[in-house]
Amino acid sequence: MNTKSYQQLIEEARKKTGAPLDQALTLPGAFYTDPSIFELERKALFEAGWLFICRDDQVAAPGDYFAADTAAGPVLIARGEDREVRAFANICRHRGSILLEGQGSCRRIVCPYHAWSYRLDGRLSSAPEMAALPGFEPTDNGLIPLRMESWAGFLFITCNDNAPPLRNWLGDMPDRLASHKLEEMRHVWTVSLEASCNWKLLLENAIEAYHTGLVHRDTVGAQASRGIETRGHWACLQVLSDRSIATLPGDEPGFAPIAGLDEEARQGTYFTAILPNCQFAVAQDCLWWLNIRPLSVDRSVVEIGGCFPADSIARPDFEPLARPYFERWEKVGREDVAILEKQHRALMSPKHRPGRFGPREEQVRLFDLMILDALAAG
Ligand code: FES
Ligand SMILES: [Fe+2]
């Protein structure tokens, strides 16, 4: 298909997905399976938008770093000796190796290929045998900085110098979640799952509770939910339950609700989807995230991260009380991945046709529409 045909495909999908919920159609299979559409998404969504990378308490001490492969390229976040947190492209300035993997702490960032080394503020510190080279200036060979902004301790980067400030991107989400005091939370747990499916399926699934009675019949079970109106680049479903649903129905939540939660927040868990690829699930006593990192059109990594208020973490019995939360997050995450892999296999068929949305899938429709709008603009 040529570029014009893709623009037509996007425009047609915008009309059909943009119709009122009771007439709207889901996205054509190509949006989940065509590598060329994935490349358009890479530019219009991942390189243009804000991507959540990690929390600032995951790089709490000078020398701490966090590296992640995103659909906008490899990213490195590091805290310098001056305690400043910075983001860089995780790419060596020599011949382009990845510099650091995963999480850890270091005094210098040393390239594993030819040992060029960088200070934590990105300046080139040493480059073996290069000093003799005419015109080689260490100051021209520092790490490439990335624009980074933080909200409530969550660090986001963008490759787009013209992106609006993060707070504008998030619209009214910070206000909606203000009473959870997320800035007082700390990250305590992560698990990463591989998923043989398109990244959008993982986000769509995360903002509808239509599937939970069947897919999660042995875990969270059927859930009541309501849509939350949003402003900005996010969608939101609230699953209604006056107790935290971050543990399974058989496991009493181990922690008290956050003091000062507003009336609406006391009534359930907010399942957000922040364009393009991140969910914060915000319950009365904790938060967990799904950070979806696409590897290709049909493979994704789902990072599930868990956060609790600092005073819960300070309890001497925190570990045993938090264990059922971790188990629930991983178990339910695996149940979702299993059904989405089935869905992806079927979406690859030439016989697939867009389907009708159900009455509880308005947030899926809205999120798909945000994606289509970004693709049309990009
Ligand atoms: S690629 Fe990094 S030192 Fe050569
Ligand atoms: Fe689910």
Side-chain angles (χ1 to χ4, degrees), residues 62-63 78-81 86 88 106-107 109 118-122:
R79 191 178 293 272
E81 273 147 25
R86 299 177 180 84
F88 305 102
C106 63
R107 294 203 50 206
I109 299 162
Y118 305 85
R119 292 174 200 273
L120 295 157
D121 62 9

Side-chain angles (χ1 to χ4, degrees), residues 46-51 146-148 156-161 163-164:
F46 289 90
E47 291 174 8
W50 284 100
L51 305 181
L146 295 178
R147 190 174 157 202
M148 181 181 72
F156 288 71
I157 64 100
T158 181
C159 297
N160 177 5
D161 290 339

Side-chain angles (χ1 to χ4, degrees), residues 13 16-28 32 204 208 210 354-369 372:
K16 291 177 177 163
T17 304
L21 182 67
D22 59 2
Q23 295 152 42
L25 291 181
T26 64
L27 299 182
Y32 304 94
E204 291 168 354
E208 55 96 343
Y210 186 27
R356 297 284 296 273
F357 285 105
R360 302 172 67 191
E361 293 173 304
E362 173 68 344
Q363 280 59 45
V364 179
R365 190 187 72 84
L366 290 173
F367 195 69
D368 287 346
L369 210 48
L372 292 170

Side-chain angles (χ1 to χ4, degrees), residues 52-375:
F52 167 58
I53 304 296
C54 66
R55 274 191 64 86
D56 61 4
D57 50 270
Q58 290 178 277
V59 286
D64 286 356
Y65 64 84
F66 187 100
D69 285 344
T70 77
V75 173
L76 175 65
I77 289 187
R79 191 178 293 272
E81 273 147 25
D82 56 358
R83 303 204 65 87
E84 223 22 66
V85 185
R86 299 177 180 84
F88 305 102
N90 186 15
I91 302 172
C92 180
R93 291 300 307 280
H94 175 219
R95 278 170 49 210
S97 172
I98 294 281
L99 293 163
L100 293 171
E101 307 263 13
Q103 255 184 285
S105 180
C106 63
R107 294 203 50 206
R108 287 279 187 276
I109 299 162
V110 182
C111 178
Y113 199 176
H114 312 93
W116 284 28
S117 84
Y118 305 85
R119 292 174 200 273
L120 295 157
D121 62 9
R123 281 178 295 162
L124 183 67
S125 159
S126 76
E129 302 175 30
M130 297 300 285
L133 214 67
F136 182 82
E137 292 293 341
T139 46
D140 294 339
N141 287 278
L143 298 182
I144 294 166
L146 295 178
R147 190 174 157 202
M148 181 181 72
E149 289 181 21
S150 109
W151 162 69
F154 298 94
L155 303 178
F156 288 71
I157 64 100
T158 181
C159 297
N160 177 5
D161 290 339
N162 300 318
L166 175 64
R167 287 296 292 245
N168 295 16
W169 186 264
L170 298 177
D172 62 344
M173 193 181 86
D175 293 339
R176 202 101 204 183
L177 302 179
S179 74
H180 285 89
K181 300 190 276 279
L182 300 178
E183 63 284 356
E184 293 172 20
M185 288 197 178
R186 303 282 175 273
H187 165 269
V188 290
W189 175 88
T190 291
V191 71
S192 289
L193 311 178
E194 286 188 23
S196 296
C197 68
N198 181 262
W199 64 276
K200 293 188 293 301
L201 298 183
L202 291 145
L203 265 307
E204 291 168 354
N205 171 75
I207 44 171
E208 55 96 343
Y210 186 27
H211 72 279
T212 63
L214 184 55
V215 171
H216 306 304
R217 62 185 172 276
D218 299 327
T219 52
V220 292
Q223 295 171 326
S225 63
R226 68 176 167 213
I228 297 283
E229 256 185 56
T230 56
R231 189 168 48 69
H233 292 83
W234 69 300
C236 184
L237 183 84
Q238 190 184 32
V239 170
L240 301 169
S241 168
D242 53 13
R243 57 150 274 186
S244 169
I245 57 159
T247 58
L248 295 178
D251 288 323
E252 272 305 301
F255 303 104
I258 294 158
L261 279 188
D262 65 38
E263 176 59 29
E264 186 188 83
R266 281 203 299 270
Q267 294 170 21
T269 297
Y270 294 108
F271 286 84
T272 68
I274 303 162
L275 198 71
N277 65 328
C278 163
Q279 168 165 87
F280 296 140
V282 189
Q284 291 95 327
D285 56 349
C286 65
L287 169 149
W288 71 102
W289 71 64
L290 302 186
N291 201 355
I292 313 297
R293 300 207 171 101
L295 302 173
S296 61
V297 70
D298 55 2
R299 281 177 57 227
S300 310
V301 171
V302 187
E303 180 196 271
I304 312 175
C307 300
F308 287 88
D311 52 357
S312 300
I313 299 169
R315 288 176 58 151
D317 54 355
F318 173 72
E319 193 52 40
L321 290 179
R323 183 67 29 209
Y325 290 71
F326 306 155
E327 286 169 5
R328 177 255 191 251
W329 292 331
E330 180 167 352
K331 222 173 185 176
V332 173
R334 287 186 188 280
E335 288 170 344
D336 283 321
V337 167
I339 189 66
L340 300 176
E341 289 182 338
K342 283 183 197 288
Q343 184 185 11
H344 187 98
R345 273 167 52 211
L347 289 169
M348 287 191 298
S349 166
K351 294 293 181 197
H352 168 263
R353 299 286 178 271
R356 297 284 296 273
F357 285 105
R360 302 172 67 191
E361 293 173 304
E362 173 68 344
Q363 280 59 45
V364 179
R365 190 187 72 84
L366 290 173
F367 195 69
D368 287 346
L369 210 48
M370 284 183 213
I371 289 168
L372 292 170
D373 285 346
L375 286 173

